[in-house]
Amino acid sequence: MSTALNRREFLGTLAAFSLFPLEEQQPDLILHSATIHTVDPKQPQAQAIAISGDRILAVGSNDDVLHLASPATKKIDLATNTVFPGFIDAHCHPAEAGLDHLRMVDCDLRSIAAIQSALRERAARTLAEEWVLGFKYDDTKTSDGRALTIADLDAAVPDHPVCIEHRGGHTAYCNSLAFQKASITSKTPDPPGGKIDHDPATGKLSGRVAETAKDSFEKIIPSNFTRDDHREGIKLISKMLARTGITSAHEAFGTPNDLRAYQDARESGDLLFRAYCLIGYRHIEAMLAAGIRTGLGDDWVRVGAMKMIADGSISERTARLSTPYEGRPDDYGIVVMTEEELYTWGRKAHLAGWQIGTHANGDVGIDTTLKVYERLQRESPRKDPRFRLEHCTVVNDSLVARIKSLAAIPTPFSTYVYYHGEKMRYYGQDRLNNMFALRSFLDAGIRATQASDYPPGEFIPMMALQSEVTRTDIKGNVWGPKQKITVEEAIRVGTINGAYASYEENLKGSLEVGKLADLVVLGRDPYKEDPSTLITVPVERTMVGGRWTFEA
Ligand SMILES: [Zn+2]
């Protein structure tokens, strides 16, 4: 085992971290006798780690580190536990998910009847005229073999407007009263970038609306959340993330309200993860006017990239593809923002020094987004723009080569193969060998991240590892085996690569002297685990900045 940095080397390292007070050389805490996988290539393995304040003071063998203890140092023997840097979820929607969990019916249920009874129960304690809202509905996870219809919703709740969001977030299912309130009839044309579905037999509204067609409902659903509700939402989701070992999350479509909520939750002690807050393009003008750009903030709450949306979603099968969906020869998915729109918004952000992240799932969506990024760099080259391709799901060799030459960062879904296996058949095995393409990205030297997109995907890091390493779903079906990666690779993807995606690789993502003390303690070592049971590896504790955010 290599030694920890000696004092002089350590002080040398320290110069780079000016916030680290020199007087506080005594460790507050030493974790020892563990199997520590540091994700630091200079010292991949260690037994002990000393922490002072929110930073790592030393990493090494028990002998190297334990003698640094003062009488005031707390020592924790981790016995046989395994330690990794804390996991970084590089694309999820915690602020909104927290509010959803506070207010909406969780429709992650296994039959239409179960959803109907949950809605009925909520309607019974909802004031007249008020909306009954749901989320996490998934048409492929109910036993009925068909999607929710307007008739199902009318039967369950006739006298309140109902709007149920699909788990993917790009489609919604509404009842007749909701359509009435939105002034949508069966004759209303599709809005640009959206779709109002009809029953093919009768031509009547089916109840489902996609992409921008959802806006008509979102506009009229009163969002009467107080400032306190927003903070409560962050508090709730913080606990959910902490218990799985997540220490940082990239809020993928943030608003000024979200930024405030993160700051409020931090102040009240309820924020348990570090938030890198991507800002939706609709808010960019206000941000630019205030002189804000990517990077503003601190280690806990930081302004991230500007976020745009090129195409539809994978879980709802609306991603824009160059070849049609399996069994649906005319369906190529949806374009949300055109190349010209992406360029116009992107240019503003790019010139102002913002990082840009664009939701791009299908190969067509990715191609369009890359064209925009390539043009921005050609016209106004910037050093290290770290363009992000949110999801970046369906790729091919030429797209991968262009991503590499731009040094762009894909944030592919980490848990989809495992959790959303039943949707994979719409893509077909050939295409799946080019989806969530971590093997291709890593082989090309591209720094892809782990990303749940929660609520659409599950955020459990151990599920991400199993999904990426085995490419096997819950039922044992293997999807796109060419993209398998090793456990060690998956760990790097979920730690240091996530830090790189937010320009914070010198702050976190590995356990090194001077970095933030963000780590997870596991009950078993994933390196020794059968890959098919990785999801069962227990999380014992999670630490952010030297403070336990979860203890089993
Ligand atoms: Zn998302």
Side-chain angles (χ1 to χ4, degrees):
M1 193 144 303
S2 60
T3 46
L5 293 178
N6 67 34
R7 200 171 174 84
R8 186 176 302 129
E9 283 168 329
F10 174 65
L11 289 171
T13 314
L14 212 57
F17 297 92
S18 53
L19 289 175
F20 202 79
L22 288 171
E23 313 81 66
E24 282 182 32
Q25 290 301 295
Q26 316 280 8
D28 300 315
L29 175 67
I30 291 178
L31 308 177
H32 63 93
S33 308
T35 302
I36 302 177
H37 298 294
T38 64
V39 189
D40 171 11
K42 299 185 297 296
Q43 181 186 221
Q45 297 260 324
Q47 283 178 307
I49 183 163
I51 293 157
S52 174
D54 65 350
R55 301 276 176 158
I56 297 170
L57 191 67
V59 182
S61 67
N62 281 345
D63 287 346
D64 296 331
V65 176
L66 279 168
H67 76 86
L68 299 173
S70 76
T73 303
K74 188 172 178 197
K75 288 182 240 172
I76 299 180
D77 183 343
L78 287 180
T80 57
N81 286 336
T82 298
V83 176
F84 282 102
F87 290 104
I88 298 176
D89 189 333
H91 181 122
C92 53
H93 301 273
E96 197 188 336
L99 286 176
D100 291 350
H101 278 286
L102 278 183
R103 203 53 83 78
M104 294 184 176
V105 178
D106 188 340
C107 294
D108 186 13
L109 298 166
R110 295 296 166 260
S111 71
I112 289 174
I115 294 170
Q116 285 177 310
S117 85
L119 294 173
R120 229 176 255 127
E121 192 258 325
R122 180 63 60 98
R125 48 192 179 88
T126 300
L127 295 175
E129 297 286 302
E130 284 190 5
W131 288 74
V132 171
L133 303 172
F135 79 127
K136 284 170 83 180
Y137 164 63
D138 189 332
D139 61 307
T140 65
K141 289 196 193 294
T142 54
S143 54
D144 309 77
R146 64 171 182 88
L148 266 177
T149 63
I150 195 166
D152 295 326
L153 296 174
D154 287 345
V157 183
D159 45 5
H160 294 268
V162 175
C163 185
I164 309 295
E165 281 222 42
H166 193 279
R167 177 139 202 173
H170 294 249
T171 55
Y173 296 73
C174 304
N175 70 352
S176 294
L177 195 53
F179 277 101
Q180 223 174 297
K181 287 196 181 280
S183 307
I184 295 175
T185 69
S186 58
K187 308 228 164 39
T188 306
D190 289 342
K195 198 166 185 312
I196 302 164
D197 268 7
H198 298 87
D199 181 325
T202 64
K204 289 184 179 163
L205 293 168
S206 75
R208 178 182 182 268
V209 290
E211 304 297 345
T212 58
K214 278 174 63 212
D215 297 351
S216 320
F217 296 92
E218 278 159 17
K219 261 185 261 159
I220 57 168
I221 294 172
S223 74
N224 49 355
F225 288 112
T226 63
R227 184 167 170 178
D228 236 27
D229 291 336
H230 283 274
R231 188 188 47 73
E232 279 295 320
I234 302 284
K235 178 180 179 177
L236 197 157
I237 196 79
S238 277
K239 289 182 185 154
M240 293 171 66
L241 297 180
R243 62 173 56 243
T244 69
I246 292 173
T247 55
S248 290
H250 297 187
E251 168 68 53
F253 205 37
T255 64
N257 270 344
D258 295 337
L259 264 181
R260 188 179 63 188
Y262 280 115
Q263 294 173 80
D264 286 349
R266 183 198 179 175
E267 202 169 281
S268 60
D270 296 317
L271 179 61
L272 303 180
F273 62 93
R274 303 180 191 281
Y276 185 65
C277 205
L278 277 67
I279 302 293
Y281 67 97
R282 290 189 195 94
H283 302 287
I284 199 69
E285 306 275 15
M287 293 277 161
L288 295 178
I292 296 169
R293 69 173 188 187
T294 302
L296 183 70
D298 62 16
D299 302 341
W300 279 93
V301 183
R302 199 184 294 283
V303 174
M306 178 186 78
K307 163 82 179 292
M308 301 191 286
I309 302 180
D311 69 344
S313 90
I314 289 298
S315 64
E316 292 142 298
R317 289 87 64 206
T318 55
R320 184 70 175 186
L321 303 170
S322 60
T323 52
Y325 285 82
E326 302 293 307
R328 302 202 315 235
D330 299 324
D331 188 356
Y332 291 81
I334 291 177
V335 171
V336 177
M337 287 171 80
T338 64
E339 185 175 338
E340 227 18 67
E341 286 174 307
L342 294 172
Y343 172 75
T344 306
W345 289 100
R347 186 166 179 274
K348 279 181 208 177
H350 184 71
L351 292 180
W354 279 68
Q355 185 185 32
I356 304 173
T358 306
H359 166 118
N361 265 312
D363 51 352
V364 173
I366 297 166
D367 171 61
T368 308
T369 305
L370 285 171
K371 277 186 198 150
V372 170
Y373 290 168
E374 286 157 353
R375 181 173 169 196
L376 291 173
Q377 265 310 71
R378 203 167 50 238
E379 293 175 353
S380 322
R382 254 178 59 200
K383 203 172 145 263
D384 203 14
R386 301 198 192 182
F387 292 116
R388 296 170 54 126
L389 291 151
E390 305 304 320
H391 314 315
C392 196
T393 306
V394 183
V395 294
N396 55 48
D397 290 349
S398 109
L399 292 176
V400 170
R402 287 164 65 195
I403 294 166
K404 171 63 183 168
S405 70
L406 261 180
I409 299 165
T411 64
F413 298 109
S414 316
T415 56
Y416 266 35
V417 170
Y418 177 83
Y419 191 74
H420 284 312
E422 69 282 336
K423 294 167 190 75
M424 296 303 130
R425 67 192 162 87
Y426 292 98
Y427 296 93
Q429 277 296 1
D430 279 352
R431 193 154 32 199
L432 270 151
N433 269 323
N434 290 299
M435 287 175 64
F436 327 112
L438 282 175
R439 180 77 275 146
S440 303
F441 294 143
L442 297 183
D443 286 350
I446 293 166
R447 295 192 227 207
T449 67
Q450 255 161 24
S452 69
D453 203 27
Y454 187 78
E458 286 296 326
F459 52 76
I460 304 161
M462 287 301 128
M463 185 193 288
L465 292 191
Q466 180 162 330
S467 190
E468 292 166 346
V469 170
T470 68
R471 298 285 294 200
T472 303
D473 70 17
I474 298 169
K475 295 192 173 130
N477 303 303
V478 178
W479 301 106
K482 282 192 183 159
Q483 294 297 340
K484 282 183 189 174
I485 60 171
T486 67
V487 175
E488 201 177 341
E489 288 169 328
I491 292 284
R492 277 206 306 277
V493 166
T495 55
I496 193 70
N497 286 11
Y500 181 81
S502 61
Y503 293 90
E504 293 171 304
E505 70 275 17
N506 294 322
L507 264 182
K508 61 191 184 187
S510 61
L511 300 174
E512 294 181 57
V513 171
K515 281 195 169 183
L516 294 164
D518 296 359
L519 55 84
V520 57
V521 180
L522 302 174
R524 299 197 302 273
D525 188 345
Y527 288 173
K528 295 187 184 139
E529 188 77 12
D530 182 323
S532 68
T533 56
L534 278 165
I535 194 171
T536 66
V537 171
V539 174
E540 301 290 346
R541 295 158 180 259
T542 307
M543 173 183 282
V544 182
R547 166 187 165 208
W548 296 116
T549 55
F550 168 71
E551 291 179 88

